[in-house]
Amino acid sequence: MRVDPDLWPLTTRVDVEGRLCVGGVALNEIADQYGTPAYILDEADFRYRIRRYRAALPGVRITYAGKALLTKRVARWVADEGLGLDVCSPGELATGLAAGVDPRSIVVHGNAKTTGELRAAADAGVGRIVIDCGTEIALLASQLRSPQEVLIRVAPGIDIHGHAAVTTGIVDQKFGFAVAEGQAALAVRRVLDQPLLRLAGLHCHLGSQVTDPAPYGEAIRRMVSLMADVRNHYGVVLTELNIGGGHGVPYVTGDAELDLEKLARVIDDALDQACATERFPRPKVAVEPGRAIAARAGVTCYRVVSVKHRPGGRTFVAVDGGMGDNPRVALYGARYTVTVANRHPLGPTQTVTVVGRNCEAGDVVANDVQLPADLHPGDLLAVACTGAYHHSMASTFNMVGRPPVVAVHDGRVRELVRRETTADLLLRDLG
Ligand SMILES: *Cc1c(COP(=O)(O)O)cnc(C)c1O
C-alpha cells in the first residue's frame, strides 16, 4: 500500500500522474513554489483529530500541548475547535497570545520557570500554572497581584516503559513532586498557605508514545487516592485532575496507536472505582494530547540529491534536509515511512537508508525503507507523520536555515512560517 491511511494525512490522494496530493494540492507543486525541505500541514487532518477527541471524550477537558507544533495559525485552529492550549516557554505563551487565544484557556508548564516567566504568565491572565517545584510556590506568590489558579504536578510513580527521554511518570526523573515521603502533600500544604494561590487540582504526565490506556487508569487511581489524602489532612476537596498527554500514534505500518474509545472507558472505570473506594467526589478530568493531534497532519518533503551504493552494502539516498529538521531519529531511534511523491513508483524497489545533508554520520531521515530502484536526483520524497516535534524541535545545525511550514486546505496553500534564510542566521552573528 503506497499510502497507508493510518499514517498519512486524512486528505492524502494520488493523482493520475502518480503525484502525492494533500489538501487537494500536489506536494510537487508546493516543493516547486516553496523549495525543499518543507513541512506540509493538512489543516483538515489537524481539525479532524481534535474532533475525534471531543467526540470520544465528551466529559473531559482537552488541552492541546503546543510544544508538539505551534504557530499562530495552529493556535487559532486549536482555539476554534474549542480546545485549551498548553505552553511551556515564554515563546509558546507569546505565540498563543499573539494568535488571540483566550488566556484563560492557557495552561503554563515547565520545571524551571524563572521569576520573569511566572510573572509574565500571571500578568497575561493564564488559566492555570502548573507548579513543578517548591521554589516556584513562594516565587509565584511573590509575583502575583491577583489570585492565580494553579495545579501541582505529581510524579505518580508509573513507568510506561518508553524511551527514557520521554518517560516522565516515574519518580526518578526531573518533573513534579513525588508522592513518597509526603513531598506532594507538603507542596499542597505550602500552596494552601499562600493566599493568592488557588489550588484547582493535581496534574501528572506519564510520558510520550503511550499506546496502552491502562497506565492512565492507574494514574487516576493513585491521584484520586492522593486527593483523598489531601482532603483528609487539610480539609480541602480538589476538583480537577489533569492526567497529561502522551497518546501514541503510528509512524510505520502496523505500529500501535492509543485507542480513544478505550481510553474513555479506562478513565471512566478508574474514576468510578477510585472515587467509590475513597468516597471522593468525581473530579473534572483533563488530558493534554500534542502528538496525537499534530503528528499525522504533517508531511515533510525533500529532494533527492544523490544515491550512493556501497560495495556489497547499503544504498544511501541523500536528501536536502536531515537532522536539522528532524532530530527524532538521532534522539529516539524513531522510524519513519517514506514514499516517492512526484511520480508513480513503478518497477522494482530497493531497501535504502535515507540520510540527510548534515555533517554527521547519525544524520538519518529513515532507516530501511523501500523505494524505487530507479530513484534518482531530483525525485521528491515525502515522509509521513512529521507534524509533531519536527518544526518545534528543528535546529540550525551546520548553519542550515529551518524549513517553512506550509498549510494546505481544500486546494488552497498558505505559508504559515517562512523558510529561515542564511541572512536570518547571519543577523544574529554580531561579528
Ligand atoms: C509533552 C507534554 C504533553 C504532550 O505530550 P504528547 O506526547 O505530545 O501528547 C502533555 N503534557 C505535558 C505536561 C507534556 O510535557
Side-chain angles (χ1 to χ4, degrees):
M1 196 175 5
R2 182 160 170 217
V3 177
D4 181 343
D6 289 343
L7 309 176
W8 293 89
L10 188 68
T11 65
T12 307
R13 305 281 180 270
V14 176
D15 73 8
V16 287
E17 294 165 55
R19 302 180 307 172
L20 213 63
C21 303
V22 178
V25 186
L27 296 181
N28 207 37
E29 283 172 11
I30 301 174
D32 284 345
Q33 187 175 350
Y34 297 96
T36 49
Y39 301 121
I40 318 300
L41 204 54
D42 183 11
E43 178 178 345
D45 186 282
F46 192 96
R47 291 182 184 271
Y48 165 78
R49 302 294 165 192
I50 294 180
R51 289 172 193 174
R52 284 275 295 114
Y53 265 91
R54 297 200 57 181
L57 302 166
V60 172
R61 182 174 299 152
I62 304 162
T63 305
Y64 170 68
K67 77 174 194 258
L69 169 71
L70 195 64
T71 75
K72 289 185 278 187
R73 178 80 46 178
V74 166
R76 280 200 287 277
W77 295 343
V78 167
D80 274 1
E81 296 290 337
L83 264 54
L85 178 67
D86 266 17
V87 300
C88 58
S89 73
E92 288 181 5
L93 175 60
T95 305
L97 295 174
V101 171
D102 181 351
R104 290 169 300 177
S105 74
I106 297 180
V107 181
V108 176
H109 285 280
N111 71 300
K113 306 179 204 75
T114 64
T115 313
E117 287 176 40
L118 288 167
R119 182 206 284 264
D123 285 353
V126 300
R128 300 276 183 280
I129 295 177
V130 183
I131 291 183
D132 192 272
C133 66
T135 313
E136 207 178 308
I137 298 171
L139 201 58
L140 174 58
S142 75
Q143 298 306 308
L144 292 178
R145 285 173 270 219
S146 55
Q148 173 66 53
E149 293 213 85
V150 299
L151 301 173
I152 289 177
R153 173 131 178 196
V154 175
I158 293 171
D159 193 351
I160 55 163
H161 302 290
H163 193 287
V166 293
T167 296
T168 54
I170 58 175
V171 175
D172 187 20
Q173 51 76 45
K174 72 174 183 174
F175 292 103
F177 297 90
V179 182
E181 297 175 11
Q183 287 184 4
L186 179 63
V188 168
R189 172 77 268 159
R190 292 183 54 199
V191 167
L192 294 174
D193 284 344
Q194 294 287 349
L196 286 181
L197 296 183
R198 300 279 153 82
L199 183 58
L202 301 182
H203 178 283
C204 65
H205 173 65
L206 305 182
S208 213
Q209 272 298 71
V210 180
T211 54
D212 175 7
Y216 294 104
E218 184 57 26
I220 287 173
R221 286 186 287 272
R222 292 188 190 192
M223 297 290 278
V224 169
S225 155
L226 180 59
M227 289 165 112
D229 284 349
V230 165
R231 175 196 55 194
N232 299 343
H233 287 104
Y234 308 131
V236 175
V237 176
L238 301 177
T239 56
E240 194 171 312
L241 175 53
N242 188 319
I243 57 171
H247 308 163
V249 304
Y251 282 83
V252 299
T253 296
D255 274 358
E257 94 174 84
L258 185 75
D259 181 313
L260 293 184
E261 278 71 30
K262 283 188 188 149
L263 176 66
R265 279 196 296 278
V266 164
I267 289 175
D268 232 37
D269 291 350
L271 278 177
D272 279 348
Q273 192 196 337
C275 292
T277 306
E278 306 288 351
R279 298 176 182 280
F280 195 82
R282 243 174 127 91
K284 176 88 183 165
V285 169
V287 297
E288 306 173 318
R291 186 192 315 270
I293 289 172
R296 286 159 290 194
V299 168
T300 304
C301 289
Y302 302 98
R303 286 281 175 203
V304 174
V305 177
S306 76
V307 180
K308 198 179 275 183
H309 302 282
R310 281 288 180 224
R314 281 194 280 169
T315 296
F316 292 93
V317 173
V319 297
D320 53 4
M323 66 193 297
D325 60 79
N326 178 9
R328 295 191 64 260
V329 178
L331 280 175
Y332 319 118
R335 293 178 310 151
Y336 283 92
T337 300
V338 185
T339 186
V340 64
N342 57 315
R343 61 183 173 100
H344 286 292
L346 300 173
T349 64
Q350 57 183 339
T351 304
V352 306
T353 306
V354 181
V355 296
R357 49 105 71 245
N358 292 104
C359 292
E360 180 176 314
D363 174 25
V364 171
V365 171
N367 280 300
D368 296 332
V369 293
Q370 289 293 316
L371 288 174
D374 65 352
L375 195 74
H376 52 78
D379 271 334
L380 187 72
L381 296 184
V383 181
C385 213
T386 63
Y389 303 107
H390 281 239
H391 169 65
S392 67
M393 287 184 113
S395 78
T396 58
F397 183 35
N398 288 155
M399 280 289 278
V400 175
R402 290 167 288 184
V405 181
V406 179
V408 288
H409 189 54
D410 285 342
R412 282 175 291 121
V413 180
R414 179 186 271 132
E415 192 176 28
L416 303 190
V417 179
R418 68 162 171 81
R419 182 180 305 282
E420 191 171 35
T421 62
T422 300
D424 288 330
L425 298 177
L426 280 174
L427 220 49
R428 299 180 60 223
D429 185 328
L430 303 181

